[in-house]
Amino acid sequence: MRDISFGQYYPVKSYVHNIDARIKILITLLYMVSVFFITSYTAFAGVFLFLTIVIAVSHVPYRTVLRSIKGLLFLLIFTAIINIFFTSSGNPLLQIKIGKLMINITDQGINFAVKMALRFSLLVLGSSILTFTTTPTELTDALEVLLKPLTYIKIPVHDLAIIMSIALRFIPGLMEETDKIMMAQKARGANLDSGNFFKKIKAMLPVLIPLFVSAFRRADELADALDARCYNASNKRTKMKVFKLKSTDLIAFFVFVAIVVLIFLDKYLVGAFVPSPDLGSFEVQGLDIFIYNLLLKIKVLIV
Amino acid sequence: MPITIRHLSFTYSAGTPYEKKALENINLQINEGDFLGIIGHTGSGKSTFIQHINGLIKPQAGEIEIFDLKLTPEKRPKVNLKALRSSVGMVFQYPEYQLFADTVAKDVAFGPKNLGLPSEEVEKRVKQAIEMVGLDYEAVKDRAPFELSGGQKRRVAIAGIIAMQPKMLILDEPTAGLDPFGKEQILNLIKYLKTHCSPTIVVISHDIDEITRFANRIVVFNDSHIVYDEPMQQLFKHSRQLQKMGLDIPRAVKVVNSLRARGVDLGEDIVTAEDLIKAVVARYNEVHSTSLDENAGVFDMYDFSQKWLTTEERQMLEEESSSEEAPIDKSIKSSEVSEDSKK
């Protein structure tokens, strides 16, 4: 129960924690888009270095951040293998025959698979920094502010935000409740973690039913409590904490924009000016061309 | 065979900012036949402690010997958790929240079924357990647990535990959230279970007046340590220290202490309301050289309902908090109320 680390707030004080949640969300969105524009290995290394520095500044231990990727490791390896097997373009390196099926493993396939895996881990790591350093309340508040323009096309942003923050607020309570009920049923000899998948699901019923009952009870109580305070989701509500941009927020934003610009320069500019080496259908991209040429020169020097 | 706990320590989420020490070097022996009360304020480690005894938490340091089982931090040899849980029954706080089956009988059968008992044995135990907690088996067995009243639900949940016939019973805040009458019934049930089901009982409670009514020994937890482990009569010599820890002391002790401060000393061993009444009557006899009966007219809420209410009034009370009379009443000796005091 306690080892779900993806999206868990890590309570320490740091510069990254301090950045305005709205800016952090914008940066994360921008980051997620630009990760798909990273093409060269040099750029990947650069972004990884950037993340490492951000994590160091955020005072969240590397181990904790890396744990968020652990749960997705299977997915990562699975997609990489699929990519290797089913990319047929590029120079073939190896041919495998399975029955009538011919599988070509090409350099382009491996290149593609590795880059995909790198991209995927960058996405997970980057977005988990947001959730590690921002409390769920800050997140929903910031989202509400950012989505405000949608109220003009009659989307009830405030209601959605309150629904989200209530849902988030319930998660720790429900986790604790699950823990308690699991313990209570284990004390009655319930076997919750053996047997095959279907047996496990059946064994979870004594946990799930009381959990649902208590979730409904809690929801009822909360609704009453909201009613008792005359809560209504009108637009005229004021906030206890009003977001105010600080100069440090702007600095963070511009540092990040600079990095995005570098990513785009790497993808579009370098290739336009420096000719890519001819390696058949394999393509060397961006700053990798310089590295490749450098390695070639070193090789020539040694030989 | 006693239960021995040696050098037990436990820390939650070690190595993270959520790290919290719950137990530190706990040593305790629970003897067979003990009626042990555990007190301590929230977060003092008492809940973590009892979860260890049931094997719900693996010890991080130290060891626990329960009957012939041994719990250690090592992975091997594997502990037979089923055997452990059939000999140590655990009733959690608000146990009615763990009810899940569509009928009472099925819910009570969950524990014994998990022990792998044959179905006739399970059925026999279910009937026995439901009757033991003072419910009418035929009337409730096919009802949905969610239709019952609060007190009844709790008794069904307790029946689910005692159907496993544990040699030792642990109860965490068994009376929390009940009205005075429901409380009284649960307390009487616990007393009854001590003689008829599980000879060793451990109860956690915040209500010190409640604990002193049955415990013969009290363990005090404070800040992950055991600070006192004493027979009930002796514990309240430390009244001042207990109050400093933010713990309550029995009302009778408060009265005795404040009388002492005013120069009236009634003696040391007074803990319960009954003790106090006896001491006061004895003192009265001494001063006025009368011979009033010290044991007359001592009653609690349950006795009160038995003696002072009409049948209809009593029935109404029971409907509201929990129906059916417990078989327990017969086992409780209540001293006779004299005709005079009735008027």
Side-chain angles (χ1 to χ4, degrees):
Chain A
M1 273 298 106
R2 292 193 175 85
D3 53 350
I4 301 171
S5 116
F6 186 75
Q8 203 184 39
Y9 181 63
Y10 195 89
V12 282
K13 278 193 178 132
S14 81
Y15 174 66
V16 183
H17 284 70
N18 252 337
I19 298 173
D20 193 307
R22 290 172 300 173
I23 297 291
K24 272 194 274 190
I25 291 178
L26 282 180
I27 288 180
T28 309
L29 283 177
L30 199 57
Y31 168 82
M32 285 169 131
V33 175
S34 45
V35 158
F36 287 96
F37 288 90
I38 304 175
T39 41
S40 69
Y41 287 103
T42 322
F44 273 115
V47 176
F48 264 112
L49 182 71
F50 170 67
L51 278 189
T52 317
I53 293 168
V54 172
I55 295 169
V57 173
S58 74
H59 295 309
V60 181
Y62 289 108
R63 238 179 12 163
T64 316
V65 182
L66 283 179
R67 222 180 290 148
S68 64
I69 220 169
K70 218 174 82 186
L72 298 160
L73 205 62
F74 170 75
L75 196 63
L76 215 117
I77 293 172
F78 184 74
T79 42
I81 289 174
I82 294 283
N83 273 324
I84 289 179
F85 281 141
F86 295 101
T87 311
S88 48
S89 60
N91 309 319
L93 298 175
L94 194 69
Q95 283 193 328
I96 307 171
K97 237 189 202 159
I98 306 169
K100 278 182 190 164
L101 205 72
M102 276 285 271
I103 290 176
N104 276 325
I105 292 183
T106 64
D107 53 2
Q108 191 67 47
I110 293 175
N111 179 39
F112 193 61
V114 171
K115 278 185 180 166
M116 205 61 197
L118 286 175
R119 222 165 255 151
F120 195 68
S121 15
L122 278 181
L123 272 183
V124 176
L125 286 179
S127 49
S128 67
I129 292 176
L130 172 71
T131 47
F132 274 127
T133 61
T134 322
T135 61
T137 336
E138 279 177 337
L139 269 183
T140 42
D141 278 356
L143 268 182
E144 191 187 341
V145 175
L146 290 174
L147 295 179
K148 198 117 222 189
L150 291 181
T151 44
Y152 292 110
I153 52 166
K154 302 263 187 248
I155 291 177
V157 174
H158 177 74
D159 300 48
L160 292 176
I162 198 87
I163 288 170
M164 209 160 104
S165 57
I166 287 174
L168 284 170
R169 184 210 155 278
F170 264 64
I171 289 174
L174 285 178
M175 295 258 273
E176 204 177 294
E177 191 88 16
T178 317
D179 230 23
K180 260 194 208 155
I181 297 170
M182 275 171 92
M183 277 207 188
Q185 306 298 26
K186 272 190 197 163
R188 293 166 79 188
N191 204 344
L192 298 177
D193 29 40
S194 66
N196 62 32
F197 183 69
F198 292 102
K199 262 193 188 155
K200 261 190 208 164
I201 289 198
K202 206 173 161 231
M204 280 308 272
L205 273 184
V207 177
L208 291 179
I209 294 174
L211 188 66
F212 274 105
V213 172
S214 90
F216 281 120
R217 198 186 50 241
R218 273 164 192 262
D220 256 358
E221 280 166 10
L222 184 67
D224 282 346
L226 285 174
D227 252 356
R229 290 174 218 176
C230 303
Y231 178 82
N232 63 0
S234 72
N235 282 330
K236 284 171 198 148
R237 301 186 67 82
T238 51
K239 288 251 176 267
M240 191 168 95
K241 280 183 190 158
V242 182
F243 283 115
K244 239 184 188 171
L245 276 188
K246 307 177 289 283
S247 56
T248 46
D249 299 330
L250 292 175
I251 293 172
F253 188 71
F254 287 120
V255 165
F256 186 75
V257 167
I259 284 172
V260 175
V261 169
L262 285 179
I263 290 173
F264 278 81
L265 284 181
D266 173 60
K267 183 173 168 72
Y268 293 110
L269 209 65
V270 179
F273 288 99
V274 190
S276 171
D278 182 26
L279 290 169
S281 50
F282 186 83
E283 215 183 327
V284 182
Q285 288 164 313
L287 286 169
D288 286 1
I289 301 171
F290 289 113
I291 307 272
Y292 182 83
N293 290 339
L294 196 71
L295 286 176
L296 268 189
K297 268 179 202 157
I298 292 171
K299 197 179 159 199
V300 171
L301 277 178
I302 292 170
V303 176
Chain B
M1 204 186 304
I3 290 164
T4 317
I5 293 111
R6 289 188 209 95
H7 310 297
L8 185 68
S9 297
F10 191 86
T11 310
Y12 282 108
S13 312
T16 71
Y18 296 102
E19 179 173 302
K20 197 180 171 305
K21 189 159 266 166
L23 295 174
E24 203 178 351
N25 196 16
I26 300 291
N27 292 289
L28 186 69
Q29 181 160 334
I30 304 172
N31 303 311
E32 198 156 8
D34 260 355
F35 209 141
L36 186 73
I38 297 184
I39 57 175
H41 51 73
T42 320
S44 58
K46 52 193 189 337
S47 288
T48 313
F49 173 71
I50 57 166
Q51 283 164 15
H52 272 96
I53 305 181
N54 203 292
L56 292 166
I57 299 182
K58 210 171 162 48
Q60 283 175 347
E63 58 172 39
I64 307 168
E65 257 176 69
I66 302 173
F67 304 111
D68 36 8
L69 298 162
K70 200 169 188 180
L71 308 178
T72 57
E74 275 87 52
K75 277 198 177 133
R76 275 167 211 289
K78 265 201 172 163
V79 186
N80 186 350
L81 284 177
K82 227 170 223 182
L84 172 63
R85 280 163 195 167
S86 72
S87 48
V88 181
M90 171 96 133
V91 179
F92 277 89
Q93 214 169 343
Y94 297 107
E96 58 271 28
Y97 291 169
Q98 75 199 25
L99 299 173
F100 69 95
D102 46 355
T103 70
V104 169
K106 272 190 203 163
D107 205 284
V108 177
F110 183 66
K113 251 191 198 160
N114 284 331
L115 295 181
L117 297 168
S119 55
E120 312 90 67
E121 173 71 13
V122 172
E123 214 170 297
K124 205 184 93 197
R125 283 191 180 195
V126 169
K127 186 163 188 278
Q128 219 177 353
I130 292 180
E131 279 168 358
M132 214 180 255
V133 296
L135 295 170
D136 182 355
Y137 176 70
E138 291 302 325
V140 298
K141 69 171 172 151
D142 292 323
R143 290 179 66 185
F146 299 105
E147 307 171 351
L148 303 175
S149 75
Q152 285 174 321
K153 268 192 222 167
R154 185 160 302 184
R155 283 192 278 165
V156 168
I158 295 176
I161 309 291
I162 58 178
M164 296 166 81
Q165 300 187 348
K167 284 182 264 180
M168 175 181 171
L169 195 61
I170 307 171
L171 301 108
D172 190 354
E173 296 275 353
T175 59
L178 293 179
D179 57 14
F181 191 71
K183 257 184 202 178
E184 214 58 49
Q185 284 192 315
I186 294 288
L187 290 180
N188 285 315
L189 173 62
I190 295 171
K191 274 188 204 162
Y192 178 80
L193 290 177
K194 169 108 169 71
T195 43
H196 292 82
C197 175
S198 317
T200 313
I201 288 196
V202 177
V203 175
I204 288 187
S205 181
H206 277 298
D207 187 342
I208 191 72
D209 279 304
E210 201 175 283
I211 265 196
T212 46
R213 294 233 327 252
F214 50 71
N216 60 13
R217 180 178 160 203
I218 295 184
V219 169
V220 182
F221 273 79
N222 190 39
D223 205 11
S224 353
H225 295 272
I226 289 182
V227 275
Y228 295 114
D229 172 9
E230 305 218 19
M232 210 253 288
Q233 308 290 337
Q234 254 103 74
L235 179 70
F236 300 102
K237 283 185 300 197
H238 313 292
S239 293
R240 182 60 48 83
Q241 289 91 323
L242 289 172
Q243 284 176 310
K244 248 185 213 161
M245 282 173 216
L247 295 171
D248 205 8
I249 56 172
R251 267 176 242 166
V253 177
K254 280 184 203 160
V255 171
V256 171
N257 286 349
S258 45
L259 280 177
R260 188 174 298 130
R262 288 165 170 79
V264 184
D265 195 354
L266 287 177
E268 283 289 336
D269 288 349
I270 298 163
V271 175
T272 64
E274 284 189 38
D275 296 342
L276 180 60
I277 293 167
K278 280 179 197 166
V280 169
V281 174
R283 178 58 58 88
Y284 186 89
N285 281 341
E286 205 180 296
V287 175
H288 296 274
S289 39
T290 47
S291 54
L292 300 172
D293 184 2
E294 288 169 23
N295 294 313
V298 175
F299 64 83
D300 53 28
M301 180 74 190
Y302 197 74
D303 289 334
F304 174 80
S305 79
Q306 299 292 315
K307 295 197 185 309
W308 294 67
L309 298 178
T310 64
T311 327
E312 293 90 69
E313 282 172 327
R314 191 162 69 236
Q315 257 167 11
M316 259 176 62
L317 246 183
E318 289 189 358
E319 285 289 300
E320 269 160 29
S321 70
S322 43
S323 71
E324 298 2 309
E325 268 179 34
I328 319 153
D329 338 351
K330 292 151 209 156
S331 69
I332 300 160
K333 271 193 195 155
S334 43
S335 35
E336 264 185 33
V337 183
S338 62
E339 285 299 310
D340 297 36
S341 54
K342 256 190 185 173
K343 286 166 196 168

